Amino acid sequence: MPIRVPDPLIPVFLKATRANRPFVSEAGAHQRILERTLRPASYGPPGRLRGVRVERRVPNPLGWPVYDVKPEDGGHASVVVYVHGGGWVNEMSLPHWRLMARIARESGQRVVAPIYPLVPFGTARLVRDGVVELVRAELEAGNEVRLAGDSAGGQIALSVALGLRDRGIILSSTVLLSPALDLSWKNPRIDAVQPSDPWLGRPGGRVLAEAWRGPDPIEDPVVSPLFGDMSGLGPLTILTGTRDVLNPDAQILRDKAGTAGVQVAWHEAEGQLHVYALLPTETGEQGTRTIVESLQPSNGMLGASM
């Protein structure tokens, strides 16, 4: 039985581990970029993930590591491309691997995990284009593709969905957990949420966003997908917590997509933190179930619609 942590202990843990250091100050963000440049972190899978097999693709035309997480008992002719978060500076971590294993195990689908280049080597357009090609290759192989991402990976995932839409490809499901959407950080409602968010912050967030945008303007939808035209997108599922400074932008996305005629399943968790579905809490477990259900092959969309 998985160990569940009471919600109030999560902010204590974040403070003790200084998880907010890259976000609360510009200096903290620059320091994290330097640290990750000099001492790259491991991104590989843990030694064992229940009910799945993990295979690394070799060779890989993208030039990035790409992993396939496969259910042990076969699976459907469909895949989920999962784009991990981490502020565009942190590698895939154990909670991501566990979530991908659960998606594969419970949905019977192969989960494709690109290990994309981070700042200062990766940029929004480079990674968007790479993931678009990864999805297109799966489609050309005859697989149905669903897309998911958390935090910075949510920014990439929505930018990819928009890029695919522009190429005439509509995905049956895109799931976004606490997505970064407007990298200008200009939403005035961030100030109201900031005192309750123990994790993210505008000063470091702006530094990381500036490094990630590369040569593109910060309001280009490749960088900040909230500025894109949402019309014609396939169904979206959005999960967000109210103690997350990214929550105000998620609300704008909900309304903008709904107005554009996009089917939206909205899951707002009162009092929950950033990427709460990755946390080892009871509410996190509920969020994980929502993600897995929303990516089921038989379901283009589950949840409350706008």
Side-chain angles (χ1 to χ4, degrees):
M1 191 71 178
I3 298 174
R4 299 291 176 216
V5 177
D7 284 337
L9 291 184
I10 298 295
V12 175
F13 173 80
L14 294 173
K15 182 177 180 180
T17 58
R18 301 183 68 194
N20 66 345
R21 184 169 61 94
F23 302 101
V24 295
S25 71
E26 294 182 0
H30 286 298
Q31 182 63 31
R32 176 53 59 89
I33 294 172
L34 179 62
E35 289 171 354
R36 289 298 185 241
T37 304
L38 296 177
R39 295 183 294 277
S42 173
Y43 52 73
R48 185 175 182 276
L49 289 169
R50 182 171 63 87
V52 299
R53 293 176 290 112
V54 181
E55 298 175 0
R56 179 167 170 165
R57 298 188 186 182
V58 180
N60 172 15
L62 278 181
W64 319 334
V66 176
Y67 288 88
D68 288 311
V69 183
K70 302 178 179 180
E72 288 183 343
D73 57 352
H76 300 276
S78 59
V79 301
V80 174
V81 174
Y82 190 92
V83 190
H84 74 85
W88 308 284
V89 73
N90 292 321
E91 293 285 8
M92 187 175 288
S93 62
L94 181 58
H96 296 118
W97 284 108
R98 286 176 172 166
L99 175 59
M100 292 188 299
R102 185 157 173 187
I103 293 169
R105 191 170 60 244
E106 297 186 10
S107 75
Q109 297 173 97
R110 174 167 50 92
V111 180
V112 180
I115 309 298
Y116 57 90
L118 305 169
V119 296
F121 309 108
T123 61
R125 186 170 296 275
L126 170 71
V127 173
R128 192 285 305 264
D129 290 349
V131 178
V132 164
E133 290 309 309
L134 189 62
V135 171
R136 291 180 65 179
E138 293 290 346
L139 292 169
E140 289 171 1
N143 297 312
E144 185 179 2
V145 179
R146 291 166 179 78
L147 186 60
D150 69 276
S151 192
Q155 174 265 312
I156 297 167
L158 185 55
S159 296
V160 167
L162 291 170
L164 290 166
R165 184 273 320 273
D166 292 344
R167 293 163 173 80
I169 300 169
I170 311 301
L171 300 180
S172 61
S173 182
T174 298
V175 177
L176 307 173
L177 169 60
S178 303
L181 298 166
D182 175 0
L183 273 61
S184 75
W185 291 78
K186 289 181 179 178
N187 192 323
R189 292 191 56 235
I190 291 174
D191 295 328
V193 180
Q194 185 67 84
S196 69
D197 187 336
W199 201 340
L200 302 187
R202 181 183 272 140
R206 280 179 165 164
V207 170
L208 295 168
E210 184 67 19
W212 181 246
R213 73 175 180 88
D216 291 301
I218 203 74
E219 294 184 358
D220 189 307
V222 171
V223 181
S224 297
L226 191 61
F227 292 97
D229 174 11
M230 301 298 156
S231 59
L233 279 181
L236 297 177
T237 298
I238 306 168
L239 295 88
T240 180
T242 60
R243 291 181 64 186
D244 180 356
V245 292
L246 304 183
N247 174 264
D249 287 338
Q251 294 184 10
I252 294 176
L253 174 61
R254 173 199 60 192
D255 297 342
K256 184 174 182 178
T259 299
V262 177
Q263 190 178 0
V264 179
W266 173 252
H267 302 272
E268 183 177 68
E270 185 66 33
Q272 292 299 310
L273 307 181
H274 183 62
V275 295
Y276 71 91
L278 293 175
L279 301 177
T281 64
E282 288 297 335
T283 310
E285 167 62 18
Q286 295 170 19
T288 295
R289 288 200 300 266
T290 296
I291 291 171
V292 174
E293 290 170 358
S294 299
L295 292 169
Q296 290 291 336
S298 59
N299 297 326
M301 173 62 67
L302 290 178
S305 299
M306 285 296 298

